[in-house]
Amino acid sequence: MKTVRVKDKDFSLYMSEATIVERVKEVASKIDADYRDSKPLFLVVLNGSFVFAADLLRNIDFPCEISFIKMSSYQGTSSTGKVKQLLGLNESIEGRTVIIVEDIIDTGYTMQELVNLLNEKNPEQVVITALFVKPNNIKVPLNIDYKCFEIENDFIVGYGLDYDGYGRNLSDIYKVVE
Ligand code: 5GP
Ligand code: MG
């Protein structure tokens, strides 16, 4: 079994790039059929989604805009504590179809927060696309419109996903060796 070392941990091959790309193309053609007439705005969630987005969006064959966002969290001064912020959304999304492109949904808290922030800006609809979902770990109700793969609760790297900043450039997906 092929293994790689990323920082201080060993990872073993989990899913090949060819397998991922084949599935991503399938999902792209579903989105292509479903949203062809809605001139959507694709919102790619940085950093982890950049490879997924590149493969997905090159298989979308209708007029669309693509933009990039980042979530940041900081301790607020109010008693509500942690406040998440949306960085980089410069377009108005009022009345538009927004399709989120996310690498992985684990507990779902990040996605829930993102959907709430977007809904405050009165879009027509918010659609969720995820490369990986860990169904056994989801803590919040989320309607995930398109998911490429459901996986176990293992920690994975590669194809854009990192371990402590490293491993994003691996072509395939690897999972941590416990
Ligand atoms: P959630 O809010 O759904 O718990 O977490 C989502 C974020 O946690 C993802 O966007 C990603 O940054 C990180 N994450 C969750 N699971 C993994 C994993 O297996 N590998 C990597 N590299 N990041 C993960
Ligand atoms: Mg992410």
Side-chain angles (χ1 to χ4, degrees), residues 45 48 84 102-111 134 137 151 153-158 160-163 168:
V45 185
K84 289 238 174 151
E102 174 67 300
D103 53 359
I104 185 163
I105 297 175
D106 185 7
T107 62
Y109 289 129
T110 305
M111 184 55 73
K134 295 182 182 172
N137 226 13
I151 61 170
N153 288 346
D154 308 298
F155 186 81
I156 58 174
V157 296
L161 286 93
D162 74 307
Y163 164 52
R168 296 192 195 277

Side-chain angles (χ1 to χ4, degrees), residues 150-177:
E150 292 194 337
I151 61 170
E152 296 300 308
N153 288 346
D154 308 298
F155 186 81
I156 58 174
V157 296
Y159 195 77
L161 286 93
D162 74 307
Y163 164 52
D164 228 0
Y166 288 87
R168 296 192 195 277
N169 54 319
L170 294 164
S171 298
D172 307 301
I173 293 277
Y174 293 79
K175 74 170 183 180
V176 73
V177 178

Side-chain angles (χ1 to χ4, degrees), residues 39-43 65-67 89 91 93 96-99:
K39 289 203 172 74
L41 171 66
F42 285 95
L43 271 190
E65 280 183 273
I66 302 169
S67 195
L89 182 63
E91 295 75 7
I93 61 167
R96 298 198 63 184
T97 295
V98 175
I99 305 182

Side-chain angles (χ1 to χ4, degrees), residues 53-165:
D55 281 338
L56 183 82
L57 294 167
R58 282 179 297 169
N59 286 284
I60 296 291
D61 195 26
F62 57 70
C64 62
E65 280 183 273
I66 302 169
S67 195
F68 301 86
I69 53 162
K70 213 166 173 168
M71 302 282 290
S72 93
S73 57
Y74 62 93
Q75 287 304 125
T77 49
S78 72
S79 57
T80 51
K82 243 187 174 173
V83 183
K84 289 238 174 151
Q85 257 193 326
L86 198 56
L87 303 179
L89 182 63
N90 302 316
E91 295 75 7
S92 165
I93 61 167
E94 192 168 338
R96 298 198 63 184
T97 295
V98 175
I99 305 182
I100 299 170
V101 180
E102 174 67 300
D103 53 359
I104 185 163
I105 297 175
D106 185 7
T107 62
Y109 289 129
T110 305
M111 184 55 73
Q112 186 185 50
E113 197 73 30
L114 174 55
V115 169
N116 289 343
L117 286 169
L118 293 174
N119 277 332
E120 284 170 13
K121 299 174 192 294
N122 300 316
E124 163 79 19
Q125 59 183 326
V126 175
V127 177
I128 300 176
T129 308
L131 177 59
F132 294 108
V133 178
K134 295 182 182 172
N136 299 328
N137 226 13
I138 290 205
K139 302 285 190 291
V140 290
L142 268 184
N143 180 26
I144 304 169
D145 301 274
Y146 302 95
K147 56 187 138 188
C148 298
F149 300 99
E150 292 194 337
I151 61 170
E152 296 300 308
N153 288 346
D154 308 298
F155 186 81
I156 58 174
V157 296
Y159 195 77
L161 286 93
D162 74 307
Y163 164 52
D164 228 0

